[in-house]
mmCIF file of all heavy atoms in Angstrom:
data_model
loop_
_atom_site.group_PDB
_atom_site.id
_atom_site.type_symbol
_atom_site.label_atom_id
_atom_site.label_comp_id
_atom_site.label_asym_id
_atom_site.label_seq_id
_atom_site.Cartn_x
_atom_site.Cartn_y
_atom_site.Cartn_z
ATOM 1 N N ALA Z 341 -4.779 13.587 -25.043
ATOM 2 C CA ALA Z 341 -4.781 14.412 -26.243
ATOM 3 C C ALA Z 341 -3.353 14.629 -26.787
ATOM 4 O O ALA Z 341 -3.207 14.775 -27.979
ATOM 5 C CB ALA Z 341 -5.440 15.774 -25.853
ATOM 6 N N ARG Z 342 -2.399 14.637 -25.893
ATOM 7 C CA ARG Z 342 -1.054 14.893 -26.348
ATOM 8 C C ARG Z 342 -0.038 14.024 -25.560
ATOM 9 O O ARG Z 342 -0.267 13.818 -24.330
ATOM 10 C CB ARG Z 342 -0.679 16.352 -26.326
ATOM 11 C CG ARG Z 342 -0.636 16.958 -24.903
ATOM 12 C CD ARG Z 342 -0.357 18.426 -24.976
ATOM 13 N NE ARG Z 342 -1.530 19.131 -25.586
ATOM 14 C CZ ARG Z 342 -2.649 19.351 -24.965
ATOM 15 N NH1 ARG Z 342 -2.792 18.953 -23.677
ATOM 16 N NH2 ARG Z 342 -3.660 19.989 -25.505
ATOM 17 N N PRO Z 343 1.003 13.514 -26.177
ATOM 18 C CA PRO Z 343 1.989 12.682 -25.509
ATOM 19 C C PRO Z 343 2.826 13.546 -24.573
ATOM 20 O O PRO Z 343 2.854 14.780 -24.659
ATOM 21 C CB PRO Z 343 2.786 12.115 -26.584
ATOM 22 C CG PRO Z 343 2.627 12.945 -27.760
ATOM 23 C CD PRO Z 343 1.254 13.573 -27.665
ATOM 24 N N GLU Z 344 3.430 12.975 -23.527
ATOM 25 C CA GLU Z 344 4.257 13.725 -22.575
ATOM 26 C C GLU Z 344 5.624 14.036 -23.210
ATOM 27 O O GLU Z 344 6.157 13.161 -23.828
ATOM 28 C CB GLU Z 344 4.432 12.911 -21.357
ATOM 29 C CG GLU Z 344 3.107 12.706 -20.511
ATOM 30 C CD GLU Z 344 3.391 12.176 -19.189
ATOM 31 O OE1 GLU Z 344 3.703 10.973 -19.067
ATOM 32 O OE2 GLU Z 344 3.340 12.943 -18.204
ATOM 33 N N PRO Z 345 6.117 15.247 -22.945
ATOM 34 C CA PRO Z 345 7.435 15.544 -23.471
ATOM 35 C C PRO Z 345 8.567 14.741 -22.814
ATOM 36 O O PRO Z 345 8.390 14.269 -21.669
ATOM 37 C CB PRO Z 345 7.612 17.027 -23.202
ATOM 38 C CG PRO Z 345 6.514 17.380 -22.208
ATOM 39 C CD PRO Z 345 5.456 16.353 -22.285
ATOM 40 N N ALA Z 346 9.640 14.539 -23.502
ATOM 41 C CA ALA Z 346 10.693 13.685 -22.946
ATOM 42 C C ALA Z 346 11.260 14.285 -21.667
ATOM 43 O O ALA Z 346 11.664 13.493 -20.770
ATOM 44 C CB ALA Z 346 11.815 13.642 -24.020
ATOM 45 N N ALA Z 347 11.247 15.669 -21.507
ATOM 46 C CA ALA Z 347 11.816 16.172 -20.326
ATOM 47 C C ALA Z 347 10.957 15.772 -19.083
ATOM 48 O O ALA Z 347 11.512 15.553 -18.017
ATOM 49 C CB ALA Z 347 11.815 17.735 -20.377
ATOM 50 N N VAL Z 348 9.670 15.577 -19.243
ATOM 51 C CA VAL Z 348 8.788 15.156 -18.142
ATOM 52 C C VAL Z 348 9.152 13.723 -17.759
ATOM 53 O O VAL Z 348 9.256 13.401 -16.583
ATOM 54 C CB VAL Z 348 7.241 15.176 -18.595
ATOM 55 C CG1 VAL Z 348 6.462 14.513 -17.599
ATOM 56 C CG2 VAL Z 348 6.922 16.716 -18.709
ATOM 57 N N LEU Z 349 9.413 12.888 -18.799
ATOM 58 C CA LEU Z 349 9.779 11.523 -18.450
ATOM 59 C C LEU Z 349 11.111 11.405 -17.766
ATOM 60 O O LEU Z 349 11.280 10.648 -16.816
ATOM 61 C CB LEU Z 349 9.784 10.720 -19.760
ATOM 62 C CG LEU Z 349 8.495 10.697 -20.576
ATOM 63 C CD1 LEU Z 349 8.643 9.814 -21.822
ATOM 64 C CD2 LEU Z 349 7.300 10.251 -19.758
ATOM 65 N N ARG Z 350 12.042 12.291 -18.148
ATOM 66 C CA ARG Z 350 13.353 12.313 -17.411
ATOM 67 C C ARG Z 350 13.200 12.672 -16.008
ATOM 68 O O ARG Z 350 13.711 12.080 -15.091
ATOM 69 C CB ARG Z 350 14.331 13.218 -18.167
ATOM 70 C CG ARG Z 350 14.934 12.662 -19.458
ATOM 71 C CD ARG Z 350 16.162 13.479 -19.913
ATOM 72 N NE ARG Z 350 15.780 14.839 -20.226
ATOM 73 C CZ ARG Z 350 15.287 15.255 -21.418
ATOM 74 N NH1 ARG Z 350 15.083 14.335 -22.386
ATOM 75 N NH2 ARG Z 350 14.984 16.569 -21.674
ATOM 76 N N ARG Z 351 12.381 13.654 -15.777
ATOM 77 C CA ARG Z 351 12.148 14.200 -14.422
ATOM 78 C C ARG Z 351 11.482 13.113 -13.609
ATOM 79 O O ARG Z 351 11.736 12.847 -12.494
ATOM 80 C CB ARG Z 351 11.298 15.441 -14.413
ATOM 81 C CG ARG Z 351 11.080 16.122 -13.086
ATOM 82 C CD ARG Z 351 10.358 17.419 -13.166
ATOM 83 N NE ARG Z 351 9.118 17.338 -14.015
ATOM 84 C CZ ARG Z 351 7.977 16.864 -13.514
ATOM 85 N NH1 ARG Z 351 7.874 16.355 -12.354
ATOM 86 N NH2 ARG Z 351 6.948 16.806 -14.272
ATOM 87 N N ARG Z 352 10.543 12.379 -14.237
ATOM 88 C CA ARG Z 352 9.869 11.308 -13.495
ATOM 89 C C ARG Z 352 10.857 10.180 -13.106
ATOM 90 O O ARG Z 352 10.785 9.655 -12.062
ATOM 91 C CB ARG Z 352 8.726 10.747 -14.367
ATOM 92 C CG ARG Z 352 7.819 9.788 -13.673
ATOM 93 C CD ARG Z 352 6.543 9.533 -14.518
ATOM 94 N NE ARG Z 352 5.784 10.750 -14.726
ATOM 95 C CZ ARG Z 352 5.190 11.069 -15.873
ATOM 96 N NH1 ARG Z 352 5.305 10.319 -16.906
ATOM 97 N NH2 ARG Z 352 4.566 12.235 -15.930
ATOM 98 N N ARG Z 353 11.755 9.867 -13.980
ATOM 99 C CA ARG Z 353 12.735 8.864 -13.704
ATOM 100 C C ARG Z 353 13.641 9.324 -12.441
ATOM 101 O O ARG Z 353 13.912 8.455 -11.674
ATOM 102 C CB ARG Z 353 13.603 8.545 -14.947
ATOM 103 C CG ARG Z 353 13.050 7.516 -15.786
ATOM 104 C CD ARG Z 353 14.050 6.890 -16.779
ATOM 105 N NE ARG Z 353 13.431 5.817 -17.437
ATOM 106 C CZ ARG Z 353 13.369 4.551 -16.995
ATOM 107 N NH1 ARG Z 353 13.914 4.327 -15.767
ATOM 108 N NH2 ARG Z 353 12.760 3.637 -17.614
ATOM 109 N N ARG Z 354 13.953 10.570 -12.541
ATOM 110 C CA ARG Z 354 14.793 11.107 -11.416
ATOM 111 C C ARG Z 354 14.025 10.934 -10.107
ATOM 112 O O ARG Z 354 14.576 10.515 -9.086
ATOM 113 C CB ARG Z 354 15.180 12.534 -11.625
ATOM 114 C CG ARG Z 354 16.314 12.696 -12.680
ATOM 115 C CD ARG Z 354 16.961 14.177 -12.576
ATOM 116 N NE ARG Z 354 15.934 15.182 -12.821
ATOM 117 C CZ ARG Z 354 15.678 15.689 -14.080
ATOM 118 N NH1 ARG Z 354 16.270 15.041 -15.124
ATOM 119 N NH2 ARG Z 354 14.835 16.619 -14.243
ATOM 120 N N MET Z 355 12.716 11.194 -10.124
ATOM 121 C CA MET Z 355 11.957 11.050 -8.913
ATOM 122 C C MET Z 355 11.876 9.579 -8.581
ATOM 123 O O MET Z 355 11.946 9.221 -7.431
ATOM 124 C CB MET Z 355 10.475 11.592 -9.140
ATOM 125 C CG MET Z 355 9.658 11.472 -7.934
ATOM 126 S SD MET Z 355 7.836 11.766 -8.225
ATOM 127 C CE MET Z 355 7.811 13.495 -8.361
ATOM 128 N N ALA Z 356 11.684 8.711 -9.580
ATOM 129 C CA ALA Z 356 11.596 7.254 -9.312
ATOM 130 C C ALA Z 356 12.878 6.778 -8.603
ATOM 131 O O ALA Z 356 12.899 5.981 -7.677
ATOM 132 C CB ALA Z 356 11.354 6.453 -10.515
ATOM 133 N N ARG Z 357 14.012 7.364 -8.990
ATOM 134 C CA ARG Z 357 15.308 6.974 -8.435
ATOM 135 C C ARG Z 357 15.449 7.495 -6.989
ATOM 136 O O ARG Z 357 15.790 6.695 -6.034
ATOM 137 C CB ARG Z 357 16.441 7.608 -9.287
ATOM 138 C CG ARG Z 357 17.827 7.416 -8.730
ATOM 139 C CD ARG Z 357 18.880 7.780 -9.756
ATOM 140 N NE ARG Z 357 20.224 7.655 -9.303
ATOM 141 C CZ ARG Z 357 21.273 7.654 -10.104
ATOM 142 N NH1 ARG Z 357 21.042 7.887 -11.454
ATOM 143 N NH2 ARG Z 357 22.500 7.480 -9.666
ATOM 144 N N GLU Z 358 14.965 8.674 -6.804
ATOM 145 C CA GLU Z 358 15.034 9.294 -5.429
ATOM 146 C C GLU Z 358 14.122 8.485 -4.457
ATOM 147 O O GLU Z 358 14.488 8.087 -3.371
ATOM 148 C CB GLU Z 358 14.616 10.762 -5.464
ATOM 149 C CG GLU Z 358 14.551 11.406 -4.062
ATOM 150 C CD GLU Z 358 13.585 12.560 -3.978
ATOM 151 O OE1 GLU Z 358 13.271 13.131 -5.038
ATOM 152 O OE2 GLU Z 358 13.083 12.805 -2.805
ATOM 153 N N VAL Z 359 12.901 8.287 -4.874
ATOM 154 C CA VAL Z 359 11.889 7.580 -4.056
ATOM 155 C C VAL Z 359 12.369 6.105 -3.732
ATOM 156 O O VAL Z 359 12.302 5.629 -2.613
ATOM 157 C CB VAL Z 359 10.512 7.601 -4.610
ATOM 158 C CG1 VAL Z 359 9.513 6.756 -3.793
ATOM 159 C CG2 VAL Z 359 10.028 9.064 -4.738
ATOM 160 N N ALA Z 360 12.875 5.500 -4.777
ATOM 161 C CA ALA Z 360 13.389 4.072 -4.556
ATOM 162 C C ALA Z 360 14.464 4.105 -3.521
ATOM 163 O O ALA Z 360 14.515 3.249 -2.543
ATOM 164 C CB ALA Z 360 13.900 3.491 -5.877
ATOM 165 N N ALA Z 361 15.400 5.044 -3.668
ATOM 166 C CA ALA Z 361 16.469 5.083 -2.608
ATOM 167 C C ALA Z 361 15.956 5.312 -1.186
ATOM 168 O O ALA Z 361 16.434 4.762 -0.220
ATOM 169 C CB ALA Z 361 17.538 6.138 -2.977
ATOM 170 N N ARG Z 362 14.923 6.192 -1.135
ATOM 171 C CA ARG Z 362 14.447 6.584 0.168
ATOM 172 C C ARG Z 362 13.540 5.470 0.751
ATOM 173 O O ARG Z 362 13.203 5.497 1.945
ATOM 174 C CB ARG Z 362 13.657 7.871 0.092
ATOM 175 C CG ARG Z 362 14.447 9.032 -0.299
ATOM 176 C CD ARG Z 362 13.697 10.372 -0.307
ATOM 177 N NE ARG Z 362 13.111 10.748 0.910
ATOM 178 C CZ ARG Z 362 12.221 11.730 1.142
ATOM 179 N NH1 ARG Z 362 11.910 12.467 0.033
ATOM 180 N NH2 ARG Z 362 11.754 12.024 2.293
ATOM 181 N N ALA Z 363 13.105 4.599 -0.113
ATOM 182 C CA ALA Z 363 12.154 3.506 0.368
ATOM 183 C C ALA Z 363 12.856 2.297 0.968
ATOM 184 O O ALA Z 363 12.429 1.618 1.777
ATOM 185 C CB ALA Z 363 11.239 3.015 -0.770
ATOM 186 N N MET Z 364 14.158 2.133 0.550
ATOM 187 C CA MET Z 364 14.853 1.001 0.950
ATOM 188 C C MET Z 364 15.180 1.081 2.507
ATOM 189 O O MET Z 364 15.549 2.141 2.977
ATOM 190 C CB MET Z 364 16.120 0.740 0.181
ATOM 191 C CG MET Z 364 15.766 0.473 -1.263
ATOM 192 S SD MET Z 364 17.186 0.132 -2.296
ATOM 193 C CE MET Z 364 16.650 0.709 -3.847
ATOM 194 N N VAL Z 365 15.149 0.020 3.121
ATOM 195 C CA VAL Z 365 15.454 -0.054 4.629
ATOM 196 C C VAL Z 365 16.762 -0.748 4.904
ATOM 197 O O VAL Z 365 16.876 -1.884 4.620
ATOM 198 C CB VAL Z 365 14.326 -0.739 5.332
ATOM 199 C CG1 VAL Z 365 14.488 -0.728 6.904
ATOM 200 C CG2 VAL Z 365 12.936 -0.033 5.053
ATOM 201 N N LEU Z 366 17.652 0.026 5.472
ATOM 202 C CA LEU Z 366 18.947 -0.541 5.890
ATOM 203 C C LEU Z 366 18.699 -1.224 7.238
ATOM 204 O O LEU Z 366 18.574 -0.640 8.299
ATOM 205 C CB LEU Z 366 20.007 0.526 6.008
ATOM 206 C CG LEU Z 366 21.414 0.117 6.439
ATOM 207 C CD1 LEU Z 366 21.997 -0.985 5.470
ATOM 208 C CD2 LEU Z 366 22.314 1.317 6.593
ATOM 209 N N LEU Z 367 18.579 -2.570 7.201
ATOM 210 C CA LEU Z 367 18.200 -3.309 8.344
ATOM 211 C C LEU Z 367 19.316 -3.481 9.295
ATOM 212 O O LEU Z 367 19.214 -3.467 10.536
ATOM 213 C CB LEU Z 367 17.641 -4.717 7.934
ATOM 214 C CG LEU Z 367 16.331 -4.705 7.225
ATOM 215 C CD1 LEU Z 367 15.934 -6.104 6.705
ATOM 216 C CD2 LEU Z 367 15.195 -4.143 8.047
ATOM 217 N N GLN Z 368 20.568 -3.664 8.717
ATOM 218 C CA GLN Z 368 21.785 -3.747 9.602
ATOM 219 C C GLN Z 368 22.970 -3.337 8.781
ATOM 220 O O GLN Z 368 22.938 -3.315 7.528
ATOM 221 C CB GLN Z 368 21.974 -5.148 10.146
ATOM 222 C CG GLN Z 368 22.147 -6.242 9.107
ATOM 223 C CD GLN Z 368 22.051 -7.621 9.732
ATOM 224 O OE1 GLN Z 368 21.117 -7.887 10.579
ATOM 225 N NE2 GLN Z 368 22.988 -8.468 9.448
ATOM 226 N N ASN Z 369 24.013 -2.826 9.515
ATOM 227 C CA ASN Z 369 25.166 -2.289 8.852
ATOM 228 C C ASN Z 369 26.353 -2.393 9.821
ATOM 229 O O ASN Z 369 26.792 -1.462 10.454
ATOM 230 C CB ASN Z 369 24.928 -0.760 8.515
ATOM 231 C CG ASN Z 369 26.081 -0.209 7.662
ATOM 232 O OD1 ASN Z 369 26.784 -0.940 7.060
ATOM 233 N ND2 ASN Z 369 26.184 1.123 7.687
ATOM 234 N N GLU Z 370 26.847 -3.637 9.892
ATOM 235 C CA GLU Z 370 27.903 -3.965 10.890
ATOM 236 C C GLU Z 370 29.127 -3.150 10.599
ATOM 237 O O GLU Z 370 29.566 -3.043 9.417
ATOM 238 C CB GLU Z 370 28.241 -5.432 10.855
ATOM 239 C CG GLU Z 370 27.056 -6.392 11.036
ATOM 240 C CD GLU Z 370 26.290 -6.115 12.332
ATOM 241 O OE1 GLU Z 370 26.954 -5.742 13.313
ATOM 242 O OE2 GLU Z 370 25.080 -6.290 12.357
ATOM 243 N N ALA Z 371 29.625 -2.532 11.660
ATOM 244 C CA ALA Z 371 30.890 -1.798 11.544
ATOM 245 C C ALA Z 371 30.877 -0.813 10.418
ATOM 246 O O ALA Z 371 31.873 -0.508 9.747
ATOM 247 C CB ALA Z 371 32.101 -2.787 11.328
ATOM 248 N N ASP Z 372 29.677 -0.262 10.192
ATOM 249 C CA ASP Z 372 29.583 0.794 9.187
ATOM 250 C C ASP Z 372 30.224 0.349 7.853
ATOM 251 O O ASP Z 372 30.961 1.154 7.241
ATOM 252 C CB ASP Z 372 30.123 2.120 9.696
ATOM 253 C CG ASP Z 372 29.256 2.686 10.771
ATOM 254 O OD1 ASP Z 372 28.101 2.281 10.925
ATOM 255 O OD2 ASP Z 372 29.810 3.529 11.595
ATOM 256 N N VAL Z 373 29.956 -0.877 7.476
ATOM 257 C CA VAL Z 373 30.569 -1.340 6.225
ATOM 258 C C VAL Z 373 30.131 -0.543 5.053
ATOM 259 O O VAL Z 373 30.774 -0.425 3.980
ATOM 260 C CB VAL Z 373 30.308 -2.832 6.021
ATOM 261 C CG1 VAL Z 373 28.821 -3.084 5.831
ATOM 262 C CG2 VAL Z 373 31.146 -3.388 4.901
ATOM 263 N N LEU Z 374 28.874 -0.030 5.206
ATOM 264 C CA LEU Z 374 28.336 0.841 4.138
ATOM 265 C C LEU Z 374 28.403 2.335 4.706
ATOM 266 O O LEU Z 374 28.235 2.572 5.932
ATOM 267 C CB LEU Z 374 26.893 0.536 3.856
ATOM 268 C CG LEU Z 374 26.627 -0.739 3.041
ATOM 269 C CD1 LEU Z 374 25.106 -0.951 2.775
ATOM 270 C CD2 LEU Z 374 27.375 -0.686 1.773
ATOM 271 N N PRO Z 375 28.615 3.314 3.828
ATOM 272 C CA PRO Z 375 28.773 3.126 2.389
ATOM 273 C C PRO Z 375 30.118 2.650 1.978
ATOM 274 O O PRO Z 375 31.060 2.740 2.768
ATOM 275 C CB PRO Z 375 28.575 4.630 1.912
ATOM 276 C CG PRO Z 375 28.999 5.497 3.065
ATOM 277 C CD PRO Z 375 28.625 4.689 4.265
ATOM 278 N N LEU Z 376 30.258 2.149 0.758
ATOM 279 C CA LEU Z 376 31.487 1.609 0.252
ATOM 280 C C LEU Z 376 32.489 2.747 0.051
ATOM 281 O O LEU Z 376 32.153 3.839 -0.323
ATOM 282 C CB LEU Z 376 31.181 0.772 -0.987
ATOM 283 C CG LEU Z 376 30.261 -0.382 -0.879
ATOM 284 C CD1 LEU Z 376 29.960 -1.040 -2.234
ATOM 285 C CD2 LEU Z 376 30.867 -1.433 0.073
ATOM 286 N N PRO Z 377 33.777 2.409 0.200
ATOM 287 C CA PRO Z 377 34.712 3.383 -0.083
ATOM 288 C C PRO Z 377 34.805 3.715 -1.636
ATOM 289 O O PRO Z 377 34.610 2.803 -2.389
ATOM 290 C CB PRO Z 377 36.077 2.766 0.419
ATOM 291 C CG PRO Z 377 35.801 1.373 0.422
ATOM 292 C CD PRO Z 377 34.313 1.166 0.720
ATOM 293 N N PRO Z 378 34.975 5.008 -1.920
ATOM 294 C CA PRO Z 378 34.970 5.408 -3.339
ATOM 295 C C PRO Z 378 36.002 4.644 -4.169
ATOM 296 O O PRO Z 378 35.753 4.311 -5.381
ATOM 297 C CB PRO Z 378 35.182 6.875 -3.394
ATOM 298 C CG PRO Z 378 35.729 7.234 -2.010
ATOM 299 C CD PRO Z 378 35.255 6.140 -1.100
ATOM 300 N N GLY Z 379 37.108 4.375 -3.666
ATOM 301 C CA GLY Z 379 38.172 3.727 -4.480
ATOM 302 C C GLY Z 379 38.050 2.298 -4.618
ATOM 303 O O GLY Z 379 39.010 1.619 -5.100
ATOM 304 N N ILE Z 380 36.958 1.656 -4.261
ATOM 305 C CA ILE Z 380 36.866 0.223 -4.278
ATOM 306 C C ILE Z 380 37.178 -0.299 -5.695
ATOM 307 O O ILE Z 380 36.735 0.284 -6.688
ATOM 308 C CB ILE Z 380 35.505 -0.207 -3.720
ATOM 309 C CG1 ILE Z 380 35.523 -1.720 -3.342
ATOM 310 C CG2 ILE Z 380 34.397 -0.015 -4.782
ATOM 311 C CD1 ILE Z 380 34.411 -2.100 -2.398
ATOM 312 N N SER Z 381 37.950 -1.362 -5.840
ATOM 313 C CA SER Z 381 38.396 -1.757 -7.154
ATOM 314 C C SER Z 381 37.856 -3.085 -7.699
ATOM 315 O O SER Z 381 37.937 -3.368 -8.790
ATOM 316 C CB SER Z 381 39.912 -1.745 -7.252
ATOM 317 O OG SER Z 381 40.325 -2.818 -6.231
ATOM 318 N N ARG Z 382 37.390 -3.913 -6.687
ATOM 319 C CA ARG Z 382 36.913 -5.216 -7.196
ATOM 320 C C ARG Z 382 35.649 -5.665 -6.393
ATOM 321 O O ARG Z 382 35.694 -5.823 -5.252
ATOM 322 C CB ARG Z 382 38.010 -6.252 -6.998
ATOM 323 C CG ARG Z 382 37.792 -7.504 -7.812
ATOM 324 C CD ARG Z 382 38.994 -8.319 -8.125
ATOM 325 N NE ARG Z 382 38.647 -9.661 -8.567
ATOM 326 C CZ ARG Z 382 39.459 -10.706 -8.586
ATOM 327 N NH1 ARG Z 382 40.661 -10.558 -8.219
ATOM 328 N NH2 ARG Z 382 39.010 -11.879 -8.969
ATOM 329 N N ILE Z 383 34.605 -5.889 -7.180
ATOM 330 C CA ILE Z 383 33.262 -6.173 -6.614
ATOM 331 C C ILE Z 383 32.739 -7.437 -7.175
ATOM 332 O O ILE Z 383 32.709 -7.602 -8.433
ATOM 333 C CB ILE Z 383 32.259 -4.979 -6.775
ATOM 334 C CG1 ILE Z 383 32.844 -3.653 -6.181
ATOM 335 C CG2 ILE Z 383 30.962 -5.340 -6.079
ATOM 336 C CD1 ILE Z 383 31.998 -2.474 -6.558
ATOM 337 N N ALA Z 384 32.288 -8.416 -6.310
ATOM 338 C CA ALA Z 384 31.595 -9.570 -6.877
ATOM 339 C C ALA Z 384 30.105 -9.351 -6.623
ATOM 340 O O ALA Z 384 29.672 -8.965 -5.489
ATOM 341 C CB ALA Z 384 32.032 -10.786 -6.106
ATOM 342 N N VAL Z 385 29.338 -9.444 -7.674
ATOM 343 C CA VAL Z 385 27.886 -9.246 -7.634
ATOM 344 C C VAL Z 385 27.219 -10.567 -7.910
ATOM 345 O O VAL Z 385 27.328 -11.091 -9.001
ATOM 346 C CB VAL Z 385 27.412 -8.202 -8.617
ATOM 347 C CG1 VAL Z 385 25.990 -7.833 -8.440
ATOM 348 C CG2 VAL Z 385 28.196 -6.851 -8.443
ATOM 349 N N ILE Z 386 26.580 -11.142 -6.903
ATOM 350 C CA ILE Z 386 26.108 -12.559 -7.012
ATOM 351 C C ILE Z 386 24.632 -12.617 -6.638
ATOM 352 O O ILE Z 386 24.202 -11.885 -5.811
ATOM 353 C CB ILE Z 386 26.929 -13.440 -6.067
ATOM 354 C CG1 ILE Z 386 28.423 -13.415 -6.476
ATOM 355 C CG2 ILE Z 386 26.422 -14.905 -6.041
ATOM 356 C CD1 ILE Z 386 29.362 -14.082 -5.513
ATOM 357 N N GLY Z 387 23.979 -13.549 -7.431
ATOM 358 C CA GLY Z 387 22.574 -13.804 -7.072
ATOM 359 C C GLY Z 387 21.647 -13.599 -8.224
ATOM 360 O O GLY Z 387 21.926 -12.802 -9.143
#
Side-chain angles (χ1 to χ4, degrees):
R342 65 185 65 77
E344 293 192 286
V348 166
L349 303 182
R350 283 196 297 275
R351 183 172 52 78
R352 188 167 299 138
R353 272 198 172 274
R354 283 197 298 275
M355 182 193 282
R357 177 170 180 165
E358 177 207 338
V359 174
R362 295 181 63 186
M364 295 185 211
V365 180
L366 180 56
L367 295 172
Q368 61 193 47
N369 187 22
E370 304 303 330
D372 292 340
V373 66
L374 287 180
L376 297 174
I380 199 160
S381 61
R382 196 157 162 197
I383 303 172
V385 185
I386 297 172

